Amino acid sequence: GQQVMQIPQYQHVQEGEDFTTYCNSSTTLSNIQWYKQRPGGHPVFLIQLVKSGEVKKQKRLTFQFGEAKKNSSLHITATQTTDVGTYFCAGNNNDMRFGAGTRLTVKP
Amino acid sequence: DAGVIQSPRHEVTEMGQEVTLRCKPISGHDYLFWYRQTMMRGLELLIYFNNNVPIDDSGMPEDRFSAKMPNASFSTLKIQPSEPRDSAVYFCASRGGNTEAFFGQGTRLTVV
């Protein structure tokens, strides 16, 4: 199956700062999904991107899918303490393999 | 629907014992995934099924691990014999077609 690489592994920000995590695949993806896992919890679906160059927004979260459908990003504007958790991308070519995740901590 | 149900939530066992993890997917979902999560290795895909048929088990660590899906509403992941390095959180997830996946609460396995 395809491998997705995710960076950074960790990100610590001050509340109110922005945050971005990046996901890269060695192969073209049919689509990409993003999930959030709160500490002690399970991954929860955030969004799916399908089209080349697609951009979707959910309040302070902006998701992008690259033109070549090999990379994606998640950007959070003005982080809040409720944004704490690990954000995963998953390439979705039938199998669903996750990147290593980016663990976000937010200092109040 | 109650979502994906995993049991047990916690399991502590001695090295060498057989461990069986259980999963009930969401009704109507045709994909089922088993993952293992550790700090070192992240969220690893172990195996996935489509319509109860195992499609890719390349993530299963070794022959000690086996998974079955006898019907659309039940799957098991078995480790025999268990070893301390198998300690992890094991997640089951199900999905209908090419849509979002729903995860169970996970089973935290500790092998001593």
Side-chain angles (χ1 to χ4, degrees):
Chain A
Q2 88 287 349
Q3 296 294 322
V4 288
M5 306 299 294
Q6 198 171 347
I7 56 171
Q9 190 174 1
Y10 301 97
Q11 186 78 56
H12 179 72
V13 300
Q14 189 77 35
E15 188 173 23
E17 292 182 339
D18 292 355
F19 159 77
T20 305
T21 173
Y22 301 90
C23 186
N24 295 288
S25 170
S26 57
T27 59
T28 301
L29 301 169
S30 60
N31 60 62
I32 195 160
Q33 296 181 342
W34 285 92
Y35 292 76
K36 177 183 178 181
Q37 183 178 22
R38 294 182 185 276
H42 59 278
V44 175
F45 176 81
L46 292 176
I47 207 160
Q48 176 169 285
L49 304 172
V50 178
K51 299 178 182 178
S52 169
E54 188 170 15
V55 178
K56 286 188 177 180
K57 292 190 176 184
Q58 289 180 350
K59 297 183 180 179
R60 294 177 296 103
L61 278 60
T62 302
F63 303 84
Q64 291 187 305
F65 201 10
E67 294 290 340
K69 301 182 73 172
K70 289 186 176 181
N71 57 72
S72 181
S73 65
L74 158 59
H75 180 81
I76 303 178
T77 303
T79 55
Q80 301 176 357
T81 54
T82 53
D83 295 326
V84 164
T86 302
Y87 292 85
F88 293 96
C89 62
N92 201 9
N93 292 336
N94 289 329
D95 65 353
M96 200 169 63
R97 298 179 189 274
F98 285 80
T102 298
R103 180 173 296 181
L104 173 66
T105 55
V106 180
K107 184 178 181 180
Chain B
D1 201 319
V4 177
I5 300 173
Q6 289 186 247
S7 64
R9 291 292 308 278
H10 302 274
E11 176 80 28
V12 180
T13 190
E14 291 185 345
M15 181 175 62
Q17 297 297 307
E18 177 179 294
V19 175
T20 300
L21 311 181
R22 297 172 175 79
C23 176
K24 182 182 186 308
I26 291 174
S27 177
H29 282 186
D30 54 349
Y31 283 87
L32 185 140
F33 303 84
W34 281 102
Y35 294 91
R36 177 173 69 177
Q37 187 172 42
T38 60
M39 288 292 292
M40 291 298 294
R41 302 177 69 89
L43 196 58
E44 297 176 274
L45 175 64
L46 299 178
I47 185 172
Y48 79 96
F49 296 83
N50 180 222
N51 292 322
N52 312 339
V53 176
I55 302 301
D56 185 348
D57 65 354
S58 60
M60 296 286 261
E62 46 197 277
D63 292 345
R64 296 185 298 105
F65 285 68
S66 63
K68 294 182 179 180
M69 192 164 185
N71 56 63
S73 59
F74 184 65
S75 177
T76 59
L77 177 67
K78 187 175 294 187
I79 308 173
Q80 165 65 16
S82 58
E83 297 182 3
R85 59 194 170 114
D86 301 331
S87 298
V89 179
Y90 291 81
F91 286 106
C92 172
S94 72
R95 190 183 82 191
N98 198 21
T99 61
E100 66 183 281
F102 293 83
F103 283 74
Q105 299 290 322
T107 295
R108 182 174 296 277
L109 173 66
T110 304
V111 183
V112 298

